[in-house]
């Protein structure tokens, strides 16, 4: 039976609920409830990118004079139907060539039901389309105000893989324990990934194919700890994510009768925060369908200079295959320059929020390697090894 009509009907009739772990920042921020329990919220954001190399494009940053091809906007609603049941949904617009993710889409849509158990202080279940609980930022990655920079660390949260790694549609169960020493939360989900579109085809085949990747299976799990003071002290998370797709109608030119893409990854996240500064580090290990082991890690420090002004510095590393960390074997086999198999990204940035609803950001990146660049907007055989990129972004929420 085709499962798509079921999920489409569910998403359209059950607009999405609020079901985040209570000790975490709400990944679906909502305005104050009115007397009907109905809320509306949203944001608009515009970015600017400019690369030092015309052959290295990230959201078309290599165009003469730079590019404004990074636009985000969303509108969401939330309805608290009863004390234990709520609905919510968000429509998201993105213009982002790096992720091949232009246009309007249903970002999330689920029904959330809470209940009591003898083993937890809070528990619930979501049914519909929801953000995958992976690392610290995947659930909130589409809200500019929650990101630790204009773009997330591309090793862990690559833009080119965003459309299919970001969300699932199915069922998610969560439970929390509140203790004097902090909050312990567990999330488990099972279902299918959202359609990945052509982004997955560019990653595997470096082109957009006539066939389509059909979602097959998605599984996520996350165990998270947050200290007793909200957003202060230690936070830690252990995350697991698995997703797979089947390529339908593969062309004879590929030499394939069928093809299945799968990816499994485990991530460890750690953060320590004080009122004016915090240190964050995340690392992951992923295994792809071809047994290539992908390694990612980053370290970021944030410092608040003024109540409305903060700065950060980040070092980020992505390795596409641990068996060939620096791409020497791939280059010898005629698969392109060795520096396409890794990326070392060093960045600094600032965020000024003159009002709670307005954010102005500046960011600069020095990158060695091209592992996170997309072949959808780059000829990776001609891309430069070392390049710089400047960014600016203005965001408004309502």
């Amino acid at each position: 039976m085709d499962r798509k009509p079921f999920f489409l009907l569910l998403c359209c009739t059950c607009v999405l609920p609020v079901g985040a772990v209570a000790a975490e920042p709400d990944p679906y921020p909502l305005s104050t409830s009115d007397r009907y329990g109905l809320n509306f919220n949203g944001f608009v954001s515009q970015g600017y990118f400019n690369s030092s190399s015309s052959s290295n494009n990230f959201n078309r940053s290599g165009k003469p004079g730079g590019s404004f091809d990074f636009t985000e906007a969303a509108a969401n609603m939330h309805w608290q139907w009863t004390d234990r049941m709520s609905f919510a949904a968000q429509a998201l617009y993105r213009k982002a060539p790096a992720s091949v993710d232009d246009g309007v889409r249903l970002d999330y849509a689920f029904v959330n039901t809470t209940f009591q158990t003898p083993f937890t202080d809070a528990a619930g279940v979501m049914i519909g389309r929801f953000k995958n609980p992976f690392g610290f930022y995947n659930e909130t990655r589409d809200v500019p105000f929650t990101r630790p920079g204009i773009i997330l660390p591309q090793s862990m949260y690559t833009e080119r893989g965003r459309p299919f790694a970001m969300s699932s549609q199915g069922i998610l169960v969560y439970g929390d324990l509140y203790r004097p020493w902090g909050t312990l939360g567990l999330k488990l989900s099972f279902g299918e990934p959202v359609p990945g579109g052509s982004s997955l085809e560019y990653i595997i085949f470096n082109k957009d194919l006539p066939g389509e990747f059909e979602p097959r299976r998605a599984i996520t799990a996350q165990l998270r700890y947050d200290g007793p003071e909200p957003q202060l002290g230690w936070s830690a998370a252990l995350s697991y994510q698995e997703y797979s797709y089947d390529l339908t109608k593969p062309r004879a030119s590929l030499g394939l009768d069928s093809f299945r893409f799968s990816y499994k990854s485990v991530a460890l996240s750690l953060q320590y925060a004080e009122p004016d500064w915090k240190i964050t580090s995340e690392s992951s290990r992923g295994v792809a369908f071809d047994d290539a082991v992908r390694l990612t890690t980053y370290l970021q420090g944030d410092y608040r200079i003024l109540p409305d002004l903060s700065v950060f510095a980040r070092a980020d590393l992505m390795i596409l295959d641990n068996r060939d960390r620096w791409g020497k074997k791939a280059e010898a086999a005629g698969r392109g320059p060795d520096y396409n198999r890794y990326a070392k990204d060093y960045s600094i940035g600032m965020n000024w929020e003159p009002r709670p609803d307005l954010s102005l950001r500046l960011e600069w990146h020095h990158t060695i390697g091209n592992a996170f660049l997309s072949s959808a907007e780059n000829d990776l055989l001609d891309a430069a090894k070392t390049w710089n990129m400047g960014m600016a972004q203005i965001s408004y929420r309502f």
Side-chain angles (χ1 to χ4, degrees), residues 17-73:
V18 166
V21 174
E24 301 175 20
D26 187 353
Y28 314 108
L30 304 168
S31 57
T32 304
S33 298
D34 63 21
R35 61 195 179 106
Y36 300 105
L38 186 63
N39 305 275
F40 293 92
N41 200 303
F43 65 86
V44 292
S45 179
Q46 178 61 56
Y48 170 78
F49 292 70
N50 196 332
S51 292
S52 61
S53 170
S54 61
S55 59
N56 294 62
N57 279 285
F58 190 89
N59 292 326
R60 299 197 176 99
S61 57
K63 290 181 5 181
S67 167
F68 288 92
D69 288 334
F70 186 56
T71 305
E72 301 170 289

Side-chain angles (χ1 to χ4, degrees), residues 158-189:
T158 171
E159 274 291 298
R160 69 173 188 162
R162 173 195 169 278
F164 53 87
M166 179 187 62
S167 302
S168 299
Q169 43 199 22
I171 182 170
L172 184 148
V173 179
Y174 62 91
D176 307 301
L177 288 174
Y178 308 131
R179 295 294 184 266
W181 41 261
T183 299
L184 195 63
L186 177 65
K187 295 180 179 179
L188 302 168
S189 77

Side-chain angles (χ1 to χ4, degrees), residues 134 155-157 239 263-269 281-287 293-298 317 319:
F134 188 78
S155 64
M156 277 278 294
Y157 307 99
S239 308
Y263 190 73
K264 303 175 182 178
S265 57
V266 177
L268 178 63
S269 309
S281 182
E282 297 188 277
S283 300
S284 72
R285 182 183 187 274
V287 180
V293 176
R294 174 178 156 185
L295 302 178
T296 73
T297 187
Y298 76 88
L317 173 65
I319 293 173

Side-chain angles (χ1 to χ4, degrees), residues 27-29 42-45 70-76 90-96 99 101 105-108 129-132 136-150 152 157-159 162-163 165-167 194 393 395-397:
Y28 314 108
F43 65 86
V44 292
S45 179
F70 186 56
T71 305
E72 301 170 289
N76 62 57
Q90 176 165 285
L92 175 69
Y93 169 81
R94 291 185 101 233
K95 183 180 181 182
S99 61
D101 196 24
R105 63 179 293 164
L106 181 65
D107 189 31
Y108 59 76
R129 177 177 292 185
F130 45 81
K131 296 294 183 68
N132 292 332
F136 282 147
Y137 298 109
N138 196 66
E139 290 174 283
T140 62
R141 66 185 297 172
D142 285 328
V143 182
F145 289 84
T146 68
R147 294 197 291 256
I150 295 175
L152 287 165
Y157 307 99
T158 171
E159 274 291 298
R162 173 195 169 278
M166 179 187 62
S167 302
V194 299
Q393 184 182 53
S395 304
Y396 173 75
R397 58 183 168 184

Side-chain angles (χ1 to χ4, degrees), residues 45-50 68 70 144 147-152 300-303 305 308-314 346-354 358-366 389-395:
S45 179
Q46 178 61 56
Y48 170 78
F49 292 70
N50 196 332
F68 288 92
F70 186 56
R147 294 197 291 256
I150 295 175
I151 61 172
L152 287 165
Q300 176 166 327
D302 295 78
Y303 182 72
I305 301 174
D308 59 357
L309 180 65
S310 61
V311 295
F312 78 84
R314 179 197 301 157
Y346 306 95
S347 56
I348 56 174
M350 60 163 285
N351 179 29
W352 179 41
E353 296 186 358
L358 183 64
S359 171
L360 303 170
R361 296 180 186 250
L362 295 174
E363 203 163 299
W364 180 83
H365 290 250
H366 175 69
M389 180 166 55
M391 306 178 187
Q393 184 182 53
I394 181 170
S395 304

Side-chain angles (χ1 to χ4, degrees), residues 71-321:
T71 305
E72 301 170 289
N76 62 57
M77 62 86 65
H78 170 257
W79 179 31
Q80 190 67 42
W81 187 28
T82 69
D83 290 342
R84 295 194 174 276
M85 182 173 289
S86 58
F87 306 89
Q90 176 165 285
L92 175 69
Y93 169 81
R94 291 185 101 233
K95 183 180 181 182
S99 61
V100 198
D101 196 24
D102 290 353
V104 178
R105 63 179 293 164
L106 181 65
D107 189 31
Y108 59 76
F110 60 83
V111 56
N112 181 66
T113 303
T114 60
F115 51 86
Q116 294 180 334
T117 76
F119 311 106
T120 61
D121 297 308
V125 60
M126 299 180 185
I127 300 176
R129 177 177 292 185
F130 45 81
K131 296 294 183 68
N132 292 332
F134 188 78
F136 282 147
Y137 298 109
N138 196 66
E139 290 174 283
T140 62
R141 66 185 297 172
D142 285 328
V143 182
F145 289 84
T146 68
R147 294 197 291 256
I150 295 175
I151 61 172
L152 287 165
Q154 289 299 289
S155 64
M156 277 278 294
Y157 307 99
T158 171
E159 274 291 298
R160 69 173 188 162
R162 173 195 169 278
F164 53 87
M166 179 187 62
S167 302
S168 299
Q169 43 199 22
I171 182 170
L172 184 148
V173 179
Y174 62 91
D176 307 301
L177 288 174
Y178 308 131
R179 295 294 184 266
W181 41 261
T183 299
L184 195 63
L186 177 65
K187 295 180 179 179
L188 302 168
S189 77
F190 179 81
E192 64 180 27
V194 299
S198 59
S199 59
L200 193 56
E201 297 168 19
Y202 278 109
I203 289 176
I204 300 173
F205 303 111
N206 291 322
K207 57 184 176 181
D208 188 3
L209 298 175
E212 296 181 355
F213 272 102
E214 295 290 344
R216 182 172 178 266
R217 183 175 67 183
I219 300 172
T220 69
Q222 185 179 74
L223 180 65
R224 175 161 177 164
Y225 166 80
D226 291 284
E229 297 184 69
Q231 302 185 48
L232 291 177
W234 288 102
S235 293
L238 180 64
S239 308
Y240 173 79
Q241 184 177 43
E242 172 185 340
Y243 48 87
S244 60
Y245 291 81
D246 287 333
L247 178 61
T248 62
K249 303 177 182 178
R251 292 295 181 181
S253 59
L254 295 175
L256 299 171
D257 293 326
S258 63
F259 181 80
R260 175 168 294 168
F261 171 85
S262 64
Y263 190 73
K264 303 175 182 178
S265 57
V266 177
L268 178 63
S269 309
L270 192 63
Q271 182 180 91
Y272 183 78
E274 291 289 336
D276 292 329
W277 60 272
K278 65 181 177 182
I279 301 291
T280 307
S281 182
E282 297 188 277
S283 300
S284 72
R285 182 183 187 274
V287 180
F289 66 97
D290 57 358
D291 294 326
V293 176
R294 174 178 156 185
L295 302 178
T296 73
T297 187
Y298 76 88
L299 176 66
Q300 176 166 327
D302 295 78
Y303 182 72
R304 186 169 298 279
I305 301 174
L306 298 170
D308 59 357
L309 180 65
S310 61
V311 295
F312 78 84
R314 179 197 301 157
D316 191 14
L317 173 65
M318 172 191 284
I319 293 173
L320 294 185
D321 189 348

Side-chain angles (χ1 to χ4, degrees), residues 335-386:
R335 297 168 57 193
D338 56 6
Y339 51 82
N340 286 343
R341 307 299 295 169
Y342 65 87
K344 304 173 185 178
D345 184 41
Y346 306 95
S347 56
I348 56 174
M350 60 163 285
N351 179 29
W352 179 41
E353 296 186 358
R355 302 180 347 193
D357 59 357
L358 183 64
S359 171
L360 303 170
R361 296 180 186 250
L362 295 174
E363 203 163 299
W364 180 83
H365 290 250
H366 175 69
T367 307
I368 305 169
N370 300 314
F372 63 76
L373 291 184
S374 171
S375 58
E377 57 172 351
N378 291 279
D379 181 354
L380 294 178
L381 295 178
D382 293 331
K385 176 181 179 179
T386 302

